[in-house]
Amino acid sequence: MAPAMYFTFVALFISGATAYTNYTVGGKSGWFFDQNTNTSSANYADWAANQTFDLGDYLIFNTNTNQTVVLTYNETTFRSCSIDNSSDSDTFIYGQGNENFGQPLTVAVPLTIVGLNYFFSDANDGIQCENGMAFGINVSHGVGLPPNLNQPPPPPYVEPPSNADGSLTPTVTNESSGAGLSVGGNVHWMVWYSFMLCGIFALLLV
Ligand SMILES: *[C@@H]1O[C@H](CO)[C@@H](O)[C@H](O)[C@H]1NC(C)=O
Ligand SMILES: *[C@@H]1O[C@H](CO)[C@@H](O)[C@H](O)[C@H]1NC(C)=O
Ligand SMILES: *[C@@H]1O[C@H](CO)[C@@H](O)[C@H](O)[C@H]1NC(C)=O
Ligand SMILES: *[C@@H]1O[C@H](CO)[C@@H](O)[C@H](O)[C@H]1NC(C)=O
Ligand SMILES: *[C@@H]1O[C@H](CO)[C@@H](O)[C@H](O)[C@H]1NC(C)=O
Ligand SMILES: *[C@@H]1O[C@H](CO)[C@@H](O)[C@H](O)[C@H]1NC(C)=O
Ligand SMILES: *[C@@H]1O[C@H](CO)[C@@H](O)[C@H](O)[C@H]1NC(C)=O
Ligand SMILES: *[C@@H]1O[C@H](CO)[C@@H](O)[C@H](O)[C@H]1NC(C)=O
């Protein structure tokens, strides 16, 4: 029993410490596109071809808001260099929503599905993707997903429930807990004094 627990613990420790790798896409070149020359800052297909990827690894995109990061499992979407006809279930867009160009941006994408994972930038109406901002990787199982990634995606955002509807959040009233305790304390003292008085009466009677 004890040795089994020990080995489980050691295995967990080792896998937590060494099993997963964070890959910086393009290495020092990052994930950038030069609009003046229509060139990407690295050859990402070559970069990807020289690595092995496992579940639980991350791709780190060091970039700015002039590029996007699209992950898709759908080869048709990848080849189209566009998210126009893509489905929310197989295509995920990172780094969108900033109105300002050129703002520094780091995108960390966990690898959670075995097999072909495609990445591209859909900025500049596909021109970036058509000119090198695109690559595919083949993700292997490795040791499997770590617990923090091995769960269903979070449900869509809903308004936090109010306290009135029986939610699990404690109801906060203006009756502070300090006041409640001091009331309890007073009761304690009254009981205590009552006992003392009874005792004194009893002694007097004897
Ligand atoms: C890998 O990147 C993720 C997401 O940014 C981070 O939570 C994790 O700590 C990183 N792991 C390592 C070994 O740097
Ligand atoms: C970049 O490529 C697109 C087509 O892919 C072309 O329309 C555009 O003129 C090119 N721009 C430059 C600066 O070469
Ligand atoms: C992979 O990277 C190593 C070291 O950077 C390099 O020597 C090798 O030529 C690369 N291989 C491929 C297929 O790109
Ligand atoms: C892939 O995406 C295209 C649209 O880009 C869609 O028509 C097709 O059904 C998708 N394929 C799968 C297997 O979901
Ligand atoms: C999306 O689908 C429409 C209608 O089928 C098609 O005309 C268009 O070219 C498609 N767009 C892309 C980027 O594949
Ligand atoms: C980002 O894009 C804007 C608009 O296209 C351009 O003016 C700017 O030079 C770009 N910045 C960088 C850092 O590429
Ligand atoms: C991906 O890798 C697996 C083995 O790790 C292999 O069986 C499979 O054929 C590869 N898929 C592609 C499309 O290369
Ligand atoms: C609690 O007290 C604050 C002021 O002390 C008051 O504005 C607020 O309406 C009170 N809330 C309740 C639920 O009584």
Side-chain angles (χ1 to χ4, degrees):
M1 193 60 191
M5 282 175 64
Y6 173 76
F7 281 118
T8 305
F9 187 76
V10 168
L12 280 173
F13 181 76
I14 290 172
S15 64
T18 63
Y20 305 108
T21 307
N22 285 2
Y23 295 97
T24 301
V25 175
K28 289 196 177 86
S29 302
W31 180 247
F32 290 100
F33 186 76
D34 185 336
Q35 296 172 54
N36 298 318
T37 58
N38 265 356
T39 52
S40 55
S41 59
N43 185 324
Y44 300 106
D46 279 1
W47 173 83
N50 206 7
Q51 330 262 349
T52 58
F53 302 95
D54 291 325
L55 289 180
D57 292 345
Y58 279 81
L59 298 193
I60 312 294
F61 292 82
N62 289 327
T63 185
N64 68 37
T65 52
N66 282 16
Q67 293 76 219
T68 65
V69 175
V70 178
L71 162 60
T72 184
Y73 308 108
N74 181 317
E75 190 178 356
T76 306
T77 298
F78 177 61
R79 301 280 169 220
S80 76
C81 281
S82 164
I83 56 170
D84 284 354
N85 295 334
S86 68
S87 148
D88 286 349
S89 64
D90 64 17
T91 302
F92 305 89
I93 301 117
Y94 300 85
Q96 273 193 333
N98 194 315
E99 298 299 316
N100 299 314
F101 287 116
Q103 303 300 305
L105 178 69
T106 301
V107 176
V109 181
L111 304 179
T112 61
I113 293 196
V114 167
L116 292 172
N117 289 220
Y118 300 101
F119 295 87
F120 65 97
S121 170
D122 75 328
N124 298 26
D125 293 327
I127 291 173
Q128 293 193 4
C129 172
E130 288 158 9
N131 291 280
M133 300 297 285
F135 63 96
I137 63 175
N138 187 2
V139 175
S140 303
H141 185 271
V143 297
L145 286 172
N148 65 317
L149 294 175
N150 194 10
Q151 54 197 9
Y157 179 79
V158 289
E159 278 294 320
S162 72
N163 285 324
D165 69 358
S167 69
L168 289 176
T169 41
T171 303
V172 178
T173 66
N174 277 356
E175 192 180 345
S176 78
S177 57
L181 268 180
S182 74
V183 167
N186 289 343
V187 171
H188 270 286
W189 280 113
M190 285 168 70
V191 171
W192 173 242
Y193 279 126
S194 306
F195 270 104
M196 288 286 285
L197 287 172
C198 288
I200 288 165
F201 267 113
L203 282 173
L204 289 176
L205 287 172
V206 164

